[in-house]
Amino acid sequence: MGRCSLFCFLCILCLLGFESRGVSGLACNWGLQSTHPLPPDIVVRLMKDNGFDKVKLFEADPAALKALGKSGIEVMVGIPNDMLASLAGSPANAEAWVQQNVSTFISKFGTDIRFVAIGNEPFLHSYKDMFTQTTFPALQNIQAALVKAGLGKKVKVTIPLNADVYQTDSGLPSGGDFRPDIRDLMLKIIKFLQDNGGFLTVNIYPFLSLQADPNFPKEFAFFNNTANPVVDGPITYTNVYDANFDTLISALEKNGFGQIPVIVGEVGWPTDCDPNANIENARRFNQGLLDRIAKGQGTPKRRTPTDIYIFSLIDEDNKSIEPGNFERHWGIFNYDGSVKYPLNMGNGKTIVQAKGVKYLSRQWCVLSPSAGNLDPNVLSQSISYACQYADCTSTSPGSSCGNLDPQRNASYAFNMYYQTMNQRKDACSFNNLSVVTTVDPSQPPCRYEIMIDIGKHDLSASGCAKMAGTRSRLLISLLMVLALVINGAR
């Protein structure tokens, strides 16, 4: 091959390297419960820039699935719990769901859908058996629908499970077994998954272990090997993640399924709205997690590393806070894709923020300086109204904005409502108690937000498709040039 041929070949390699740059093997959860969602094409680029090559969606969002088309990112698409009954009761409904949300996106948009997640933690104690009768039939019908659509070998099924489906009476991982009330059901599901080439998915939350138990040893929640070890026969555990995962492995081994693949569907740490939810702890936990992934480190009972889906990619300001206000703050990125804290993503790559985000005007709604002596009841009612429609979780006690004085607390609530309502003129009135300002009222660590201007973004994901098309055309052109050069050299 001549010099020109070699040059063209190297150009192609560089372009291919651009397509796949970043650290291979990172996986994340992309939640969509936001009042002002980051545009899908920007999210896809954010994932690629930070080395994520796998993503889990909690629902089959069309814009997200389109944006992921031809991105090189493998997709696990979820089915919400409230759809399980419909899919369990009708094979035709399952076939229609697969056609609409899997087949179409694979064939039409090139979306690399590899997995379908049936429900999300459907056997939680708190659900009181609401989904125990529908989850397995829904799993069977979706599997049959995938086979009928010719996707049985490409797309696998799973059920993301909370760690409360297993337990240990001895307090040690080796004593692991499934909860007695769902043990028989779990064994049927696991056998079905194994027979059909599927895998088990478990969500592990060291933060929740720490948050739920005031006597839980804090150091055992992290990966620094500074905790008092838990000795289980020949195995020593220095963190709850390993101990939790291996409790599941023990349960599987005990019931004859020791070889079934297991992935971690959710694991992470929130940054606000709990005494243990802060930037320092989140960075410490997630950096330790990323370091394990980069080293290919498994657990004592499963040395081979598994896929680990970090929870979560981006904060969601419209997510249910029933479990706690921290539910809206799991992201390693803020709602707008800005970086919360530095992370080494592996191979010396540092975390980078989203590009191309467009915001509303740089202005805030605050309590008017001329409000004077306020009727506390009127002010309280105005704050309650604002927080009914906007996210005020960061003002809860112990949170990043939990120590504001009454005036700044009111300003925070008014501004969140104003931003959530896209800075409408009538959204900053509050009985004439508020005023618009161009002076940023933020006082670290409390940040007064300016929302994404969704009107300036194309949420259809066509922007991402256009970028992908441009790169594909450039690659084809280079291949043609190389072919011409090689032919000319003969």
Side-chain angles (χ1 to χ4, degrees), residues 438-457:
T438 57
V439 178
D440 187 354
S442 299
Q443 285 189 338
C446 185
R447 169 176 157 177
Y448 287 62
E449 306 287 5
I450 295 177
M451 284 295 182
I452 295 169
D453 189 343
I454 56 179
K456 291 181 180 178
H457 285 287

Side-chain angles (χ1 to χ4, degrees), residues 133-170:
Q133 301 300 316
T134 55
T135 301
F136 189 25
L139 174 70
Q140 292 171 308
N141 285 345
I142 289 293
Q143 172 64 31
L146 289 169
V147 171
K148 188 173 181 178
L151 297 170
K153 293 183 179 180
K154 173 181 172 61
V155 183
K156 302 302 180 181
V157 291
T158 189
I159 300 176
L161 299 166
N162 187 275
D164 76 349
V165 300
Y166 49 91
Q167 60 189 38
T168 171
D169 293 334
S170 68

Side-chain angles (χ1 to χ4, degrees), residues 44-239:
V44 170
R45 176 50 54 192
L46 176 68
M47 286 189 281
K48 290 174 70 68
D49 286 347
N50 286 285
F52 291 99
D53 62 6
K54 299 179 183 69
V55 66
K56 177 155 72 76
L57 301 174
F58 293 93
E59 56 194 297
D61 181 77
L65 288 170
K66 288 179 185 177
L68 287 162
K70 300 178 181 178
S71 65
I73 298 175
E74 295 181 6
V75 181
M76 181 189 301
V77 59
I79 298 176
N81 291 337
D82 59 10
M83 293 183 63
L84 296 179
S86 171
L87 299 173
S90 170
N93 287 347
E95 291 170 11
W97 188 92
V98 167
Q99 175 59 38
Q100 179 179 344
N101 300 295
V102 181
S103 300
T104 296
F105 287 98
I106 290 175
S107 62
K108 188 174 180 180
F109 300 101
T111 308
D112 190 11
I113 299 175
R114 297 292 186 93
F115 318 106
V116 175
I118 313 299
N120 187 45
E121 301 184 339
F123 304 140
L124 271 175
H125 267 303
S126 58
Y127 288 153
K128 299 178 180 179
D129 296 327
M130 187 182 304
F131 306 110
T132 54
Q133 301 300 316
T134 55
T135 301
F136 189 25
L139 174 70
Q140 292 171 308
N141 285 345
I142 289 293
Q143 172 64 31
L146 289 169
V147 171
K148 188 173 181 178
L151 297 170
K153 293 183 179 180
K154 173 181 172 61
V155 183
K156 302 302 180 181
V157 291
T158 189
I159 300 176
L161 299 166
N162 187 275
D164 76 349
V165 300
Y166 49 91
Q167 60 189 38
T168 171
D169 293 334
S170 68
L172 297 172
S174 60
D177 203 349
F178 294 105
R179 246 171 45 206
D181 60 305
I182 59 167
R183 183 176 179 276
D184 291 344
L185 176 59
M186 282 297 306
L187 297 184
K188 290 178 183 177
I189 287 172
I190 295 167
K191 185 177 187 308
F192 181 85
L193 291 173
Q194 183 170 271
D195 290 346
N196 288 278
F199 54 90
L200 205 58
T201 300
V202 62
N203 300 338
I204 298 177
Y205 282 109
F207 165 79
L208 295 180
S209 299
L210 181 61
Q211 188 255 352
D213 182 1
N215 297 314
F216 188 89
K218 181 176 179 179
E219 290 303 303
F220 202 58
F222 299 94
F223 299 108
N224 302 83
N225 297 322
T226 56
N228 291 327
V230 172
V231 179
D232 187 5
I235 299 175
T236 298
Y237 291 95
T238 59
N239 66 80

Side-chain angles (χ1 to χ4, degrees), residues 284-306:
R284 181 184 177 192
F285 180 85
N286 283 324
Q287 188 61 71
L289 182 67
L290 287 166
D291 290 345
R292 287 171 61 100
I293 294 171
K295 290 186 292 187
Q297 181 177 341
T299 67
K301 291 185 75 69
R302 282 272 178 106
R303 296 292 183 180
T304 302
T306 186

Side-chain angles (χ1 to χ4, degrees), residues 28 50 52 269 271 286 290 310-315 329-334 338-341 343 345 351:
C28 65
N50 286 285
F52 291 99
W269 201 284
T271 53
N286 283 324
L290 287 166
I310 295 172
F311 189 86
S312 182
L313 187 69
I314 305 168
D315 280 353
H329 303 276
W330 286 96
I332 58 173
F333 294 96
N334 292 304
S338 58
V339 174
K340 285 187 179 182
Y341 46 85
L343 284 172
M345 306 300 287
I351 191 170

